[in-house]
Amino acid sequence: MRPLRALAARCLAAARIAQRTEDASRFGMYKECALHARWLVDAATAKHADPVQAQNAVRGMVERVARHEPLAYVLGTQPFGPLELCVRAPVLIPRPETEDWTLALAERLRSAGPLRILDLCTGSGCIAILLAHTLRTTDLLAVDLDPACVALAAENARRCQVRIATRRVDLFDDAAMLSLGAFDLVVCNPPYIPSCDYTSLHQSVRAFESRSALVGSHAENDGLLYYRRLVELLPRGLLRPSASPFQLVVEVGAGQADAVQKLFAPIGGCAQWQDPWGHQRVVALRS
């Protein structure tokens, strides 16, 4: 096992250097690669009892990483809070900043009692599933336009042994949205990257993750398309009075929080939550 991990770590470190990684020293990079190698070996040996098959599997995984494929896709899973979620391209990989605020929200909702929650743009289902895992009495509906997302969210709910409903819904279809009924709380991690910034994203993101799950621009190139849509929908019966401390909780991109709060101001008072990396990451509409 150790020689296999060492080989994988050396290969990964060489691959990172070849990719001209500039955000770490070679020593730091090697330490990171050693950790990633352990994960790759563990994943390979879990699937293949035969050492030769496991070695071939690790080599294949390293080659995928060298081609810039995100490690989460190579491993097939991604931690999210206490959960281990399945991930596969092109469904967006859950990010640490999303994990951070979802855990914080779950804690704030513990004393609110049973709630009906709508998770828009659910992707892998990470937000809805973590809330359902924490708040066992909560009624959760997770929706997305992409059938691949709906299928993966349902698969992850079964994997994590939580009960959520999943449905394919177009956020921009008035009839479909209003047919969902009223909710105590809406949560959403929408596409919010301006289209002009898309080409600046890392190659691994552009090559493997869904562009439509990332870019939130249309006529206005500011990434705020989905927040404007929420402003249209919220006063039209999507929310109901409840014991929830928040009516809406949305993730926003770096530098967008003030603009999003201004959009929601006519509906009610808002709070901003900072992530551990110093960005105002969430705008929450208070009940």
Side-chain angles (χ1 to χ4, degrees), residues 64 69-70 72-73 87-93 148 152 207-210:
R64 290 169 65 184
E69 185 170 354
Y73 287 149
V87 292
R88 55 177 171 263
V91 179
L92 205 66
I93 299 167
L152 185 58
F208 292 93
E209 297 188 83
S210 169

Side-chain angles (χ1 to χ4, degrees), residues 38-101:
R38 188 184 73 190
W39 295 342
L40 294 177
V41 171
D42 288 347
T45 53
K47 294 180 181 179
H48 304 284
D50 180 74
V52 175
Q53 290 181 334
Q55 185 174 15
N56 290 335
V58 170
R59 290 184 186 277
M61 290 178 174
V62 170
E63 289 174 0
R64 290 169 65 184
V65 173
R67 293 195 295 269
H68 298 277
E69 185 170 354
L71 184 66
Y73 287 149
V74 176
L75 295 171
T77 60
Q78 174 74 4
F80 196 77
L83 308 174
E84 191 81 15
L85 301 178
C86 289
V87 292
R88 55 177 171 263
V91 179
L92 205 66
I93 299 167
R95 269 36 178 198
E97 54 268 31
T98 307
E99 175 188 59
D100 176 74
W101 72 255

